[in-house]
Amino acid sequence: MAEQPLYRQIAEDLRQKIESGAVARGSQLPTELELREQHNASRNTIRDAVKWLITRSLVETRPGQGTFVVEKIDPYVTELSSGSGGGESAVYESEVAAQSRTPRTTVPRVEVQQAWGVIAAELGLAEGSMVVSRHQQRFIDDRLWSLQTSFYPMRFLEQGATRLIQAENMQPGAVKYIADTLGVEEVGYRDTITVRSPDMNETTLFGLPSDGRVAVVEIFRTGLDDHGKPIRLTATVFTADRNKFVIRSQAPTTVADSATPGLRAVGSDND
Amino acid sequence: MAEQPLYRQIAEDLRQKIESGAVARGSQLPTELELREQHNASRNTIRDAVKWLITRSLVETRPGQGTFVVEKIDPYVTELSSGSGGGESAVYESEVAAQSRTPRTTVPRVEVQQAWGVIAAELGLAEGSMVVSRHQQRFIDDRLWSLQTSFYPMRFLEQGATRLIQAENMQPGAVKYIADTLGVEEVGYRDTITVRSPDMNETTLFGLPSDGRVAVVEIFRTGLDDHGKPIRLTATVFTADRNKFVIRSQAPTTVADSATPGLRAVGSDND
DNA sequence: GGGTATTTGTCCGTATGTATT
DNA sequence: AAATACATACGGACAAATACC
């Protein structure tokens, strides 16, 4: 058994103290100079140990303040199998309200752009086809919770669904609007879930640590009509550290006995 | 606009070269000493830049060899909405075969243990209740792909489903075995998906980088009988970097099960 | 607002150990 | 065995962020 490097030994010692509760969550660790004396090592070695703890999300450093044990976060639960739901944002608002938190959604940023890669592939369009994209930021308790971008083929616009390019919230949902306007109904969908590192934009928006150790979960939902033809693609990005996802194989008709609180629809209060 | 630290500038320069394709995937980066001269920085600063790339899984270092651009991996796709049951391992084998790779599963390690925390909660048992656990490692092309542990309440054993504690693969699947033996049918399930850091065991088994920057995806599937009562809990762990997951809202076109029963029109009605 | 002390961040240099070829 | 390249560890210096007076 090879001996562990010194910085690992120090890191393990600190980790043990954290996980055993000897050092409380949220409390401050000794400063680098104090740890230097306690462990009889150089400051750089202490810093290597702290870095090891940082990559494991056990501690965080705040310049000018110190090193702190990270708080435990109870993940927000997102239901992916919202079978009968109408419009993701409606589901979102009622679900968020059910967990007694305050939802907020920005006014969509609407663009017409070309579809490449996954977007074109999922929508069944040729590379470079024009699509309408509607981008929103969704907040919970004034903290950014998810980034959502929906893409719609340009043909819907040409066929008369002109509200798709208006930068305003579509209350019953854009999918319902397309159904009402064009008679194209979404009867199913396909979700693809991937985990990846955040890009720079996501890092700043979510306020993630700049070293990119916190992953994001990206969920592509492709809505399908009764011929299995794609109607829309909605890409939603969540931080991986404070979200989890639940899928039910059948409609939750008997939710009553579950631990899930009843869904209280929130009145569309403000903007 | 604040100026970036030197190590970040160097890292960004290397990142740009990698992502633009100027440096091929899998190829070797210049050595630290060469980079030191190219960027006119100290070796430690070069190492800080390389570390930044490492945490983003862009490069990897091999002692004695050099620094290499990581290969792009095409993720293995797992279908979570395998609707009509049939045992997860059966689905697994056919799916893996369909992607023309070679599946392999270890003989299960069977234990009788106490259920705590999520296991007890998901199975609807009191803390400390006895459960049967069956643990398997699943390989694709001789590389560990997922770790799977299923938990069954002890009452099934007492009621006669004795094969549950036998350390052998149950070919049609344990769920089907319970249905055949006890008449308890699984009519639905609930999946919970979380992303977390790997523990030490998972790090070694999957051969993940020891600094724990690659997350794992853990999926809990709770099987439910027709009363919504939990039958079993299956926890499966995947590496987050080489897997993605697909969920379909309805059976794929292959299943002609019931042509068009109550297809819930999305957006038809809701709260 | 300013100044100062504290604390982490960046950067340098050097030396030695360990893994691979 | 020797050469190469990364890993660990030490030391020092200054910058930047924060808190407090």
Side-chain angles (χ1 to χ4, degrees):
Chain A
M1 194 67 159
E3 180 150 346
Q4 290 273 45
L6 179 55
Y7 80 97
R8 283 289 302 274
Q9 294 178 37
I10 298 171
E12 290 292 351
D13 178 61
L14 291 171
R15 187 177 67 85
Q16 194 275 328
K17 280 177 179 158
I18 291 168
E19 293 188 344
S20 72
V23 185
R25 296 273 170 182
S27 67
Q28 184 173 5
L29 242 53
T31 69
E32 293 175 349
L33 294 187
E34 286 167 346
L35 288 172
R36 188 182 76 101
E37 298 186 357
Q38 288 177 23
H39 291 90
N40 201 29
S42 81
R43 183 178 162 232
N44 279 331
T45 302
I46 297 295
R47 283 177 61 76
D48 282 343
V50 171
K51 276 178 196 165
W52 192 86
L53 296 171
I54 288 176
T55 59
R56 281 155 188 76
S57 297
L58 286 170
V59 304
E60 62 185 354
T61 54
R62 301 176 200 156
Q65 297 187 54
T67 306
F68 297 81
V69 185
V70 297
E71 302 274 1
K72 189 106 168 196
I73 43 188
D74 61 324
Y76 181 77
V77 182
T78 299
E79 176 90 36
L80 290 184
S81 46
S82 54
S84 60
E88 256 85 63
S89 41
V91 174
Y92 153 68
E93 290 200 359
S94 57
E95 280 198 16
V96 171
Q99 298 186 27
S100 60
R101 308 202 203 183
T102 312
R104 184 166 63 84
T105 306
T106 59
V107 172
R109 174 168 55 75
V110 180
E111 294 175 356
V112 175
Q113 61 187 87
Q114 287 181 288
W116 302 105
V118 272
I119 299 171
E122 286 291 317
L123 286 176
L125 300 174
E127 292 279 327
S129 304
M130 301 307 291
V131 292
V132 179
S133 77
R134 298 173 61 87
H135 177 81
Q136 283 183 307
Q137 301 178 1
R138 305 195 290 178
F139 292 80
I140 293 181
D141 294 343
D142 286 325
R143 184 195 172 89
L144 180 61
W145 170 62
S146 65
L147 299 172
Q148 188 167 80
T149 312
S150 291
F151 301 89
Y152 303 89
M154 208 60 186
R155 66 168 185 274
F156 290 150
L157 209 63
E158 295 155 358
Q159 291 166 5
T162 51
R163 277 184 57 204
L164 278 181
I165 50 168
Q166 294 184 16
E168 61 183 13
N169 269 306
M170 309 187 69
Q171 257 316 327
V175 171
K176 172 130 173 58
Y177 168 70
I178 291 173
D180 290 346
T181 312
L182 306 177
V184 178
E185 296 228 0
E186 179 177 293
V187 302
Y189 56 79
R190 173 179 60 239
D191 285 346
T192 303
I193 304 178
T194 58
V195 179
R196 59 171 174 80
S197 316
D199 61 30
M200 212 183 319
N201 185 40
E202 290 156 351
T203 300
T204 56
L205 286 176
F206 282 115
L208 295 176
S210 60
D211 65 355
R213 65 180 178 276
V214 174
V216 293
V217 177
E218 187 167 40
I219 300 183
F220 291 101
R221 171 162 293 189
T222 309
L224 307 169
D225 69 10
D226 52 2
H227 297 88
K229 189 175 178 181
I231 293 176
R232 52 108 184 188
L233 171 65
T234 301
T236 315
V237 177
F238 307 84
T239 61
D241 60 343
R242 52 182 67 235
N243 288 283
K244 67 178 184 180
F245 305 92
V246 173
I247 303 147
R248 289 171 215 280
S249 64
Q250 58 193 38
T253 49
T254 59
V255 216
D257 59 338
S258 158
T260 313
L263 294 186
R264 283 182 291 115
V266 72
S268 43
D269 33 16
N270 41 10
D271 55 72
Chain B
M1 199 64 157
E3 180 151 344
Q4 290 273 46
L6 179 55
Y7 79 99
R8 282 289 302 274
Q9 294 180 34
I10 298 172
E12 290 292 352
D13 178 61
L14 291 171
R15 188 178 67 86
Q16 194 274 331
K17 281 179 179 158
I18 291 169
E19 294 188 344
S20 72
V23 185
R25 297 273 171 180
S27 68
Q28 184 173 4
L29 245 52
T31 69
E32 292 176 348
L33 293 187
E34 287 167 346
L35 288 171
R36 187 182 78 103
E37 298 185 357
Q38 288 178 23
H39 291 90
N40 201 30
S42 84
R43 185 176 160 238
N44 280 334
T45 302
I46 297 296
R47 282 176 62 75
D48 283 343
V50 172
K51 275 179 196 165
W52 192 87
L53 296 171
I54 287 176
T55 61
R56 280 155 187 76
S57 299
L58 287 170
V59 305
E60 62 184 355
T61 56
R62 300 175 201 156
Q65 296 186 55
T67 306
F68 297 82
V69 184
V70 296
E71 301 275 359
K72 187 109 174 192
I73 44 190
D74 61 323
Y76 182 76
V77 182
T78 299
E79 176 90 34
L80 289 184
S81 45
S82 53
S84 55
E88 255 86 61
S89 41
V91 174
Y92 152 68
E93 291 201 358
S94 57
E95 276 199 19
V96 171
Q99 298 186 28
S100 62
R101 308 201 203 183
T102 312
R104 184 166 63 84
T105 307
T106 59
V107 171
R109 174 166 55 75
V110 180
E111 293 175 357
V112 175
Q113 62 188 85
Q114 288 181 287
W116 301 106
V118 272
I119 300 172
E122 285 291 317
L123 286 176
L125 300 174
E127 291 279 326
S129 304
M130 302 307 293
V131 291
V132 180
S133 77
R134 299 172 61 86
H135 177 80
Q136 283 183 307
Q137 300 179 1
R138 305 195 290 178
F139 293 80
I140 293 180
D141 295 342
D142 286 324
R143 184 194 170 90
L144 180 60
W145 171 61
S146 66
L147 300 171
Q148 188 167 81
T149 311
S150 291
F151 301 89
Y152 304 89
M154 207 59 186
R155 65 170 186 273
F156 289 150
L157 209 63
E158 295 156 356
Q159 291 166 3
T162 52
R163 277 183 57 204
L164 279 180
I165 49 167
Q166 293 185 15
E168 59 183 14
N169 269 306
M170 309 186 70
Q171 258 316 327
V175 171
K176 172 125 174 54
Y177 167 69
I178 291 174
D180 291 346
T181 312
L182 307 176
V184 178
E185 295 231 8
E186 180 177 295
V187 301
Y189 55 80
R190 174 179 60 238
D191 285 346
T192 304
I193 304 179
T194 59
V195 179
R196 59 172 174 80
S197 315
D199 61 29
M200 212 184 317
N201 183 41
E202 290 157 352
T203 299
T204 56
L205 286 176
F206 282 116
L208 296 176
S210 59
D211 64 357
R213 66 182 178 274
V214 175
V216 294
V217 177
E218 186 166 42
I219 301 183
F220 292 100
R221 171 162 294 187
T222 308
L224 307 168
D225 68 11
D226 51 3
H227 297 88
K229 189 173 177 183
I231 293 177
R232 53 106 184 189
L233 170 65
T234 301
T236 315
V237 176
F238 307 83
T239 61
D241 60 343
R242 53 183 67 235
N243 288 283
K244 67 178 184 181
F245 305 93
V246 172
I247 304 148
R248 290 173 214 280
S249 64
Q250 61 192 65
T253 53
T254 57
V255 180
D257 195 56
S258 46
T260 349
L263 270 188
R264 301 179 153 274
V266 172
S268 61
D269 71 306
N270 55 331
D271 32 39

